[in-house]
Amino acid sequence: MLITQLAKLEEDITTTTTWALKEDLGAFYSEFACAEQDITAMLIPENEQAVATVITREDCIICGVAWVNEVFKQLDESQSCTDEQATKISSTKITWFVNDGQMVKANTTLFELEGNARTLLTGERAALNFLQTLSGTATLTSKYVKELQGSNTKLLDTRKTLPGLRSAQKYAVLCGGGVNHRIGLFDAFLIKENHIAACGGIAQAVTTAKKNHSDKTVEVEVESMDELQQALDAGADIIMLDNFTPTMIEQAVIATRNKAKLEVSGNMTIEILREYAKAGVDFISSGALTKHVQAIDLSMRFK
């Protein structure tokens, strides 16, 4: 797994996987997801063994290995509906042929599963949901990053993530070669229009932020050259240029003169990334990386 700044990632993998299985098995109010609630899988003899392979039907960047592993780990340790304690009911062997962050071609076999047939089928959708969604995020990110090659501009994600998958999608952005913006509302300031209005101005907002948390990065979103100057005068660490034209961005770069980092946001489509990067900004952020996700087409087949 790639090194990540997401401190809660391992814990989140366990939690989101648990909820995904409970969702599929109708076990929201139980401590464990009950595999016996898969009424279709129960048609198969209890001890039937099987081998299955998962392939991708399109080129992609892989992301989600740990989530797939966790799905079958939890199912292997799932609780019988009639037992009071969790009981190990099977042991699934997973053989991976790819790694997170790896570019693969269509029709590549990603991994092989061997174990109880019921377990493989019960876990199929939850496992593939994670893998295809996170691989979709990583793949789109890699396409954006490719457009920025040759520049000093870094690609950032945003908080516009799928609910419950914040750390997972931000990890996927890393797998695709992007960089994480703040993880949430707790680890950095991002002072926007409504914050400015409520605080009484840019200077007041920045001053209070530095007083309250001197160790946190303070970023201010501005919509004009006048607001840019106010943010510079207030000592902002990063200034987000919202919906600035390329010409305005060039002016902002000159006006800033390394006094602060500059970030561009607002409708940053892949077609215009190069133009904005040429202006000399430090960062381009795009919510599309995590909210306009097209899942990768994956398929599982029994041998």
Side-chain angles (χ1 to χ4, degrees):
M1 183 177 287
L2 299 178
I3 296 175
T4 170
Q5 68 189 66
L6 306 174
K8 287 178 76 276
L9 184 61
E10 185 173 347
E11 177 184 334
D12 285 350
I13 291 170
T14 302
T15 301
T16 55
T17 299
T18 298
W19 273 102
L21 290 173
K22 286 184 175 183
E23 182 177 56
D24 235 5
L25 294 165
F28 284 113
Y29 303 106
S30 302
E31 183 178 357
F32 300 97
C34 177
E36 292 178 9
Q37 290 295 96
D38 182 351
I39 59 176
T40 310
M42 292 296 287
L43 300 175
I44 301 167
E46 181 178 6
N47 296 317
E48 184 74 18
Q49 298 296 296
V51 176
T53 57
V54 172
I55 68 168
T56 174
R57 297 191 181 278
E58 56 186 304
D59 297 354
C60 65
I61 300 289
I62 293 300
C63 181
V65 169
W67 284 263
V68 173
N69 292 342
E70 184 65 20
V71 165
F72 291 101
K73 174 180 178 291
Q74 289 194 22
L75 285 175
D76 283 345
E77 298 173 349
S78 66
Q79 184 181 23
S80 168
C81 296
T82 57
D83 291 344
E84 294 183 359
Q85 302 296 326
T87 304
K88 189 176 181 64
I89 61 173
S90 64
S91 180
T92 305
K93 179 183 177 182
I94 307 178
T95 303
W96 283 94
F97 306 112
V98 296
N99 300 305
D100 280 350
Q102 182 177 338
M103 177 69 190
V104 299
K105 294 293 185 181
N107 299 314
T108 297
T109 299
L110 306 180
F111 63 96
E112 181 179 270
L113 293 161
E114 183 177 355
N116 182 274
R118 289 184 179 181
T119 301
L120 301 194
L121 290 169
T122 298
E124 175 186 1
R125 179 42 49 203
L128 296 192
N129 280 350
F130 283 119
L131 189 62
Q132 66 185 25
T133 301
L134 299 182
S135 294
T137 297
T139 301
L140 181 59
T141 300
S142 71
K143 293 177 180 178
Y144 273 61
V145 169
K146 185 176 180 180
E147 292 298 311
L148 297 176
Q149 286 181 351
S151 74
N152 293 320
T153 304
K154 296 180 179 179
L155 178 69
L156 300 178
D157 54 23
T158 71
R159 289 191 300 117
K160 296 174 182 177
T161 53
L162 299 175
L165 290 179
R166 172 69 53 80
S167 64
Q169 284 194 287
K170 281 184 171 285
Y171 172 71
V173 166
L174 296 179
C175 287
V179 177
N180 292 151
H181 206 294
R182 60 177 181 162
I183 305 303
L185 298 172
F186 59 92
D187 57 328
F189 289 98
L190 180 46
I191 301 170
K192 296 191 173 187
E193 179 183 7
N194 288 332
H195 299 103
I196 293 169
C199 288
I202 290 175
Q204 293 91 326
V206 173
T207 298
T208 303
K210 289 182 175 290
K211 179 181 178 182
N212 288 353
H213 295 281
S214 59
D215 60 326
K216 304 293 186 184
T217 299
V218 177
E219 180 169 1
V220 179
E221 181 182 66
V222 301
E223 298 178 349
S224 67
M225 292 300 294
D226 178 62
E227 289 185 348
L228 169 67
Q229 191 58 54
Q230 291 180 51
L232 288 172
D233 292 342
D237 301 304
I238 304 174
I239 300 174
M240 178 187 290
L241 310 176
D242 185 39
N243 291 312
F244 272 44
T245 66
T247 299
M248 291 174 65
I249 291 173
E250 290 175 358
Q251 295 172 354
V253 170
I254 294 172
T256 302
R257 293 189 180 90
N258 298 319
K259 296 176 183 177
K261 298 287 187 181
L262 289 180
E263 174 185 340
V264 177
S265 73
N267 299 313
M268 289 293 109
T269 63
I270 194 168
E271 293 80 10
I272 62 175
L273 291 183
R274 287 185 185 274
E275 183 179 9
Y276 281 81
K278 287 178 181 177
V281 296
D282 300 284
F283 309 108
I284 292 177
S285 58
S286 174
L289 303 179
T290 51
K291 69 186 180 77
H292 295 169
V293 180
Q294 181 172 333
I296 300 301
D297 187 7
L298 306 178
S299 177
M300 186 175 97
R301 290 290 183 268
F302 273 35
K303 287 186 174 181

